[in-house]
């Protein structure tokens, strides 16, 4: 007769599902679960902020005391502790209807009714998180179940969840999609994060190069095909590619705010959408597709490739559409280069990213968050490999960066002695949400390179002299603009306080020197506090309500 505690049973069930790492913040009653996980061979990474714990989701599983679900459709299991069952409705410590609250934001939310069902519940949560469109699942553990015991003979053995099944699109719909593509005068392929998740990069490269079609990646679709691929038209995104495309092949991307809902004035009102998605409920959101292809992105792209290869069709590289796209890319590149080569101090965003892009390894994993920092960085920091970029996602949630970076650095360590470089590019406001996680990086010796692009505010700030003058005028709570932060805050010293390396950067020379040193230091994390012009902004974006059908710009 062998007895197991609830904590041991949870740990064993996670191990059976091939969980390697657990991220969390522990407290009563979850401490024992983390300890049992370590005893079962699962590595535990303790975080400082519950928000940051949940931002580990691109890679691992998380464990928190109280948790609310996430937003960007990652497969993640969240385990939370709750009050004892015999204290329900009695006003127990932190009593809250966690299962009900999480149900709105998760694919599966459950409180196991007994110890015996825990392995089945864990397996179902893992399966639900991965099958179909991936998402978060929540398991609520009552406090009295953690140390309660059950005989092993009473527990039904549950095996590891198999990989999700791969689904193909209807063959007739594929043929119709190919026909629509062939009639397009101004076609465009949009590559979403669904293509990255399905590992469609090999089939997609062959499809794009065989078909001759231009493509545009969404923020986390960057790198599925390299940003420097000759068919990438990201630099002509808003004012031409989206605006004038007459047929769009939408691969694992949603027509939400990131793509302006697929509606005018950012899109042609008569555009035909060929929508490829794993989720049937997504079909037709905001724009009814001309053709809907339900299935795994990688599998469907392979079907489309076979369809265009039947008669050797290819979209010509000498078309007027390609000429317009190339001209627009060149014009935008010229504007960005002019901004990037400005030699003024303090620097602007474009100058910073120009020099950073020259030094980053091609295989580094870039993590980014912020407003202008993330948006401008997305256009200037290229990704060359799939699944090498993480950002604030669909909800634009701030505070994600350092959690992402810790998870990615932990994964890289598990894969090899050094692994790929993890570079986290942060706005100063975004850094403030989870800045204490630099202690976590130092505690586990994770060599993350953090670049804080510091403009003294949210969107914009003020210089130190203006701040001092405002302070003389009276109470700053009545005078200081709501978007301002403390000018030239020493985020570098925060990193140094925990044993990492901090650099204060004002000039191009200091930026290049600090980044080169940081990229060669594999012993500790580094933070570059890059002070830029508080009034620095992105280059002007113009969208005409009645666009010229033959734009010269």
């Amino acid at each position: 007769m062998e007895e197991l505690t609830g904590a041991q049973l949870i740990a064993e069930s996670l191990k059976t599902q091939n969980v390697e790492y657990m991220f969390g913040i522990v407290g009563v009653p979850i401490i024992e679960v983390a300890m049992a996980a370590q005893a079962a061979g699962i590595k535990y990474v303790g975080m400082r902020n519950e928000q940051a714990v949940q931002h580990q989701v691109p890679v691992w599983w998380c464990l928190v005391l109280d948790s609310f679900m996430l937003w960007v459709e990652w497969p993640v299991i969240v385990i939370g502790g709750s009050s004892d069952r015999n204290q329900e409705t009695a006003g127990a410590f932190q009593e809250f209807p966690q299962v009900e609250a999480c149900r709105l934001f998760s694919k599966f939310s459950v409180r196991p009714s007994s110890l015996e069902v825990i392995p089945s519940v864990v397996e179902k949560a893992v399966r639900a998180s991965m099958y179909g469109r991936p998402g978060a699942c929540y398991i609520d553990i009552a406090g009295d179940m953690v140390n309660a015991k059950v005989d092993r003979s009473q527990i039904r053995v549950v095996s590891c969840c198999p990989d999700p099944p791969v689904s193909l699109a209807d063959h007739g719909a594929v043929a119709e999609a190919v026909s629509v593509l062939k009639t397009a005068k101004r076609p465009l392929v949009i590559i979403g994060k669904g293509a990255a998740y399905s590992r469609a990069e090999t089939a997609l490269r062959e499809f794009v190069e065989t078909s001759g079609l231009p493509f545009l990646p969404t923020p986390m679709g960057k790198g599925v095909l390299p940003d420097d691929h000759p068919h990438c038209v990201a630099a002509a995104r808003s004012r031409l590619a989206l605006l004038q495309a007459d047929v769009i092949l939408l691969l694992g991307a949603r027509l939400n705010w990131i793509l302006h809902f697929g509606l005018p004035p950012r899109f042609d009102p008569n555009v035909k959408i060929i929508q490829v998605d794993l989720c049937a409920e997504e079909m037709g959101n905001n724009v009814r597709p001309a053709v809907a292809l339900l299935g795994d992105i990688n599998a469907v792209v392979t079907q489309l490739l076979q369809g265009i290869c039947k008669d050797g069709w290819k979209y010509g590289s000498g078309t007027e559409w390609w000429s317009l796209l190339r001209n627009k890319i060149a014009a935008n590149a010229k504007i960005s280069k002019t901004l990037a080569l400005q030699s003024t101090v303090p620097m602007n965003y474009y100058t910073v990213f120009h020099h950073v892009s020259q030094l980053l390894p091609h295989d580094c994993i870039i993590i980014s968050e912020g407003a202008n920092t993330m948006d401008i960085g997305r256009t200037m920091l290229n990704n060359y490999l799939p699944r090498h970029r993480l950002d604030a996602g669909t909800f634009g949630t701030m505070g994600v960066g350092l959690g992402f970076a810790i998870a990615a650095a932990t994964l890289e360590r598990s894969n090899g002695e050094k692994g790929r470089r993890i570079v986290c590019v942060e706005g100063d406001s975004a850094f403030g949400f989870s800045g204490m996680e630099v202690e976590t990086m130092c505690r586990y010796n994770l060599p993350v390179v953090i670049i804080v692009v510091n403009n003294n505010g949210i969107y914009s700030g003020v210089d130190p002299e203006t701040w001092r003058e405002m302070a003389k005028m009276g109470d700053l709570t009545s005078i200081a603009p709501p978007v301002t932060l403390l000018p030239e805050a020493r985020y570098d010293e925060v990193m140094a306080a925990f044993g990492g390396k901090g650099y204060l950067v004002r000039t191009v020379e200091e930026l290049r020197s600090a980044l080169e040193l940081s990229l060669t230091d594999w012993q500790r994390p580094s933070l570059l506090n890059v002070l830029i012009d508080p009034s620095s902004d992105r280059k002007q974006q113009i969208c005409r309500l009645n666009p010229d059908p033959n734009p010269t710009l």
Side-chain angles (χ1 to χ4, degrees), residues 22-35 44-56 61-67 78-82 94 406 433-434 436-437 439-440 443-444:
M22 177 181 287
F23 296 82
I25 296 177
V26 296
V28 176
I30 287 293
I31 297 172
E32 289 88 346
V33 176
M35 295 174 65
Y44 174 79
V45 177
M47 304 291 291
R48 299 299 301 264
N49 182 338
E50 289 186 354
Q51 172 181 278
V53 173
Q54 296 177 74
H55 298 149
Q56 314 297 323
W61 315 101
C62 57
L63 172 74
V64 296
L65 183 60
D66 296 295
S67 174
V78 179
I79 298 177
S82 61
Q94 295 184 343
I406 290 168
F433 280 78
S434 298
M436 191 55 68
E437 296 303 339
E439 185 273 334
T440 307
R443 185 176 359 125
Y444 293 109

Side-chain angles (χ1 to χ4, degrees), residues 26 88 213 267 433 474 482:
V26 296
E88 289 183 5
L213 296 172
F267 284 76
F433 280 78

Side-chain angles (χ1 to χ4, degrees), residues 109-128:
S109 181
V110 65
R111 188 181 200 188
S113 58
S114 67
L115 295 179
E116 289 84 354
V117 302
I118 285 177
S120 297
V121 165
V122 170
E123 188 276 341
K124 183 172 182 179
V126 171
R127 179 159 36 89

